[in-house]
Amino acid sequence: MVARYELEGSAQAPEQITYDVGKYKLFENALEDTSEWFLESEQDPLTEEDENTVAAKVTLPVKPEGA
C-alpha cells in the first residue's frame, strides 16, 4: 500500500500508520437482475447515525520517501 502526504515545516513522519478496514456486503436486486457492493455500517443507538463497520485494523510501518 502507498499513502502519500505532506508534512508541514519540521514535522516528523510517524513510525507507523493504522488503517481501519471496512467490510462490504453484496446486495442483489432480483427484480432488475443486478448486484452492488455496499460498505457495511451499524447505527449508533445514541445518535442514530450510521457508523461504518470496522472488520480489521492494519498497522503498517512508514518508509520515508527516497529511503
Side-chain angles (χ1 to χ4, degrees):
M1 168 179 271
V2 175
R4 294 180 187 261
Y5 56 91
E6 292 185 25
L7 297 173
E8 293 185 24
S10 61
Q12 298 292 317
E15 290 185 22
Q16 59 189 19
I17 295 178
T18 300
Y19 291 95
D20 292 342
V21 180
K23 183 177 181 180
Y24 285 83
K25 186 171 187 174
L26 180 63
F27 286 96
E28 297 185 26
N29 183 336
L31 296 174
E32 297 180 9
D33 194 29
T34 60
S35 59
E36 191 168 345
W37 289 95
F38 288 94
L39 187 58
E40 268 193 19
S41 60
E42 297 175 358
Q43 192 174 61
D44 184 308
L46 299 176
T47 64
E48 296 185 4
E49 293 182 11
D50 286 340
E51 294 183 5
N52 294 335
T53 301
V54 175
K57 289 188 177 278
V58 178
T59 301
L60 301 170
V62 172
K63 180 178 171 185
E65 188 174 81

